[in-house]
Amino acid sequence: MIKRVAIVGIGTTGFRPITPDVSYRELIFEAARKAYTDAGIEPSEIGGFITAAEDFLEGYSICDEYCPDQIGAVLKPTQTIPGDFIQALATGYMMIMTGAFKTVAIEAHSKASNVKNIDELMGFAFDPVYNRPLRETPHAIAGLEMTRYMFETCTSAEQCARVVVKNKGNAMRNPYAAFGADIAEKDVLNSDPISLPLHRLDIAPHADGAVVAVLADGETALALSETPIWIEGLGWCTDTPTLEMRDWGEAAYARLAAEMAYKMAGIANPAGMIDFAEINDEYSFKELQHMEALKLCRPGEAGHLLESGATSYAGDIPINVSGGALGVGHLFEASGAHKILELVEQLRGEAGARQIPDVNIGLAQVWRGVPTATGAVAILSNM
Amino acid sequence: MATTEKMSKTTTPTHWDADIPVNYVYTYGLAGEAFFRAIKDRGTFLGTRCDACDITYVPPKAYCDRCLEALDKYIDVGTVGYVDTFTVSFKNMDGSEKPRPRILAMIKIEGTDGGIIHYLDGISIEEVALGLPVQAIFKPKAQRKGGIEDIIGFGPVKR
Ligand SMILES: [Zn+2]
């Protein structure tokens, strides 16, 4: 009986606004080589492979077929999960728990700069009959959510802007991040109105990059690694696709995914147990809304916690010390991969200038973006 | 970098331009057809109700997404609702500025659990608020085609 699964290797290209010199498959190749070197394993020794990718983001039909070669998975058990990296991580975890695989490699990437009109692409995800004919951008749907969230929780536009200031500031300590900047709240509030209350700087810009992680069962992990990072909890959940039937103020997908992960990890008091978290901040208000959904604070408290400094780099519960999507860049289905990368580096004590002292348990949470209501949560520990 | 040769000139060939030349039809389905027929012919909204779950679906669904019972009784839910949330939209899909900002709103239809996402019409940014009662404004009957664009928007409730 397999008891535990650990991440024993991880590799990344880092994240940049554009990567005109390499193809997305070469980005993945670089991350894979680094991950296998980090794990001290040859790709031929890896039992199974999973890619997290979505056809339309890739610009390919059946993009699954274009994944094996650059990760060493040719003629090996391989599959694609059309979801976030954390959903692929859950599948890899289950593959190892069956006992049929000792090691599984998980890959996710973003080559957002290949897509010339990302708003059109995300708009194509809207219901074609009820929503798409209005030709509104995905940011308009986020604007609807933001208004309702702010109303229900008495959160201010200034508090949302402060999320951007914090995360872009954190990104300046992160060599992987593409969008670090030293800005003030007024810069956010004075930036171009996109879909009010959303301004341009409230929205995470896209970035390119790839991450590969190697999972192993407990026994293999202890043989391969001196610092295995253990997967303690996983959860994922999807709300109705019908925008008209949703609760616009609350991120139920995040609350339920977190409840599943907390139960698996045996965590009854998340605010007391989680040392730090990387959570979805694709839009500024989402960080606050997600903190509440994850029960890191009560509804309406997230903005105040932010203002108190508790979620900053040196605070009690640092949130998005990496810079989050606002500072690192929005990475499509690799969004969760970047968060897991940050957790692994922090829990190994390898996070350099942004290392948080004495951390043992980290939480990563993703949302698949507008118009989805899909969320996933992973809890990792170094003990 | 994955390769040892780095790009040093921005004029070297670096990419191939492409698009996706694919076209679709999206069938309305049973519930969608009933909904758009009621808009086109009668200028009203239909919903379906699951009594067991106490949920009224607008737009209607042919099934309850909680208990998965088939729903085939359509009820006229009227055209009056209230602003559940709103946003002031400035941009077109291509990133260009709209000629004028539009107020996009989620309108909860009275007495239901759903509604319509559409524009506010005849209501200014200063007037709009959560909870504001509104009523659907339809195109003249002869111009309606049976689609969401048969709705011009939502304006003040006529008394
Ligand atoms: Zn039901």
Side-chain angles (χ1 to χ4, degrees), chain B residues 50 52-53 55 57 64-69:
Chain B
C50 179
C53 297
I55 297 176
Y57 291 90
C64 173
D65 65 22
R66 300 303 158 107
C67 70
L68 226 57
E69 275 301 309

Short mmCIF file of all heavy atoms in Angstrom, two decimals, chain B residues 50 52-53 55 57 64-69, ligand 1:
data_model
loop_
_atom_site.label_atom_id
_atom_site.label_comp_id
_atom_site.label_asym_id
_atom_site.label_seq_id
_atom_site.Cartn_x
_atom_site.Cartn_y
_atom_site.Cartn_z
N CYS B 50 -37.64 23.14 -10.90
CA CYS B 50 -37.53 21.86 -10.20
C CYS B 50 -38.11 22.07 -8.80
O CYS B 50 -37.51 22.77 -7.98
CB CYS B 50 -36.08 21.39 -10.11
SG CYS B 50 -35.97 19.83 -9.21
N ALA B 52 -38.59 19.81 -6.51
CA ALA B 52 -37.85 19.05 -5.50
C ALA B 52 -36.68 19.85 -4.95
O ALA B 52 -36.39 19.83 -3.75
CB ALA B 52 -37.36 17.73 -6.10
N CYS B 53 -35.98 20.58 -5.83
CA CYS B 53 -34.80 21.35 -5.41
C CYS B 53 -35.14 22.81 -5.14
O CYS B 53 -34.27 23.56 -4.67
CB CYS B 53 -33.70 21.26 -6.47
SG CYS B 53 -33.10 19.60 -6.72
N ILE B 55 -35.67 25.21 -7.31
CA ILE B 55 -34.86 26.07 -8.18
C ILE B 55 -35.64 26.38 -9.45
O ILE B 55 -36.23 25.48 -10.06
CB ILE B 55 -33.53 25.36 -8.58
CG1 ILE B 55 -32.67 25.08 -7.34
CG2 ILE B 55 -32.74 26.21 -9.59
CD1 ILE B 55 -31.40 24.29 -7.63
N TYR B 57 -34.99 27.79 -13.15
CA TYR B 57 -33.90 28.06 -14.09
C TYR B 57 -34.32 29.08 -15.14
O TYR B 57 -35.29 28.89 -15.85
CB TYR B 57 -33.48 26.76 -14.80
CG TYR B 57 -32.80 25.78 -13.89
CD1 TYR B 57 -33.55 24.83 -13.19
CD2 TYR B 57 -31.44 25.81 -13.71
CE1 TYR B 57 -32.93 23.92 -12.33
CE2 TYR B 57 -30.81 24.91 -12.87
CZ TYR B 57 -31.55 23.97 -12.18
OH TYR B 57 -30.93 23.08 -11.34
N CYS B 64 -32.68 19.41 -14.32
CA CYS B 64 -32.22 20.12 -13.12
C CYS B 64 -30.77 19.72 -12.90
O CYS B 64 -30.45 18.53 -12.82
CB CYS B 64 -33.06 19.71 -11.91
SG CYS B 64 -32.43 20.39 -10.36
N ASP B 65 -29.88 20.71 -12.83
CA ASP B 65 -28.45 20.34 -12.72
C ASP B 65 -28.06 19.91 -11.31
O ASP B 65 -26.92 19.53 -11.08
CB ASP B 65 -27.53 21.41 -13.32
CG ASP B 65 -27.55 22.74 -12.57
OD1 ASP B 65 -27.93 22.75 -11.37
OD2 ASP B 65 -27.19 23.76 -13.19
N ARG B 66 -29.01 19.94 -10.36
CA ARG B 66 -28.72 19.43 -9.02
C ARG B 66 -29.17 17.99 -8.86
O ARG B 66 -28.41 17.14 -8.43
CB ARG B 66 -29.38 20.32 -7.95
CG ARG B 66 -28.91 21.76 -7.98
CD ARG B 66 -27.39 21.83 -7.83
NE ARG B 66 -26.84 23.07 -8.36
CZ ARG B 66 -26.38 24.06 -7.61
NH1 ARG B 66 -26.42 23.97 -6.30
NH2 ARG B 66 -25.87 25.13 -8.18
N CYS B 67 -30.45 17.68 -9.19
CA CYS B 67 -30.96 16.32 -8.99
C CYS B 67 -31.04 15.53 -10.29
O CYS B 67 -31.33 14.35 -10.28
CB CYS B 67 -32.32 16.36 -8.30
SG CYS B 67 -33.63 17.01 -9.34
N LEU B 68 -30.80 16.19 -11.41
CA LEU B 68 -30.79 15.58 -12.73
C LEU B 68 -32.14 15.02 -13.17
O LEU B 68 -32.20 14.12 -14.00
CB LEU B 68 -29.69 14.50 -12.84
CG LEU B 68 -28.85 14.60 -14.11
CD1 LEU B 68 -28.19 15.95 -14.29
CD2 LEU B 68 -27.81 13.49 -14.16
N GLU B 69 -33.23 15.55 -12.59
CA GLU B 69 -34.56 15.21 -13.12
C GLU B 69 -34.77 15.97 -14.43
O GLU B 69 -34.30 17.09 -14.59
CB GLU B 69 -35.65 15.65 -12.13
CG GLU B 69 -35.94 14.65 -11.03
CD GLU B 69 -36.40 13.29 -11.56
OE1 GLU B 69 -37.34 13.26 -12.38
OE2 GLU B 69 -35.80 12.28 -11.16
ZN ZN C 1 -33.75 19.28 -8.94
#
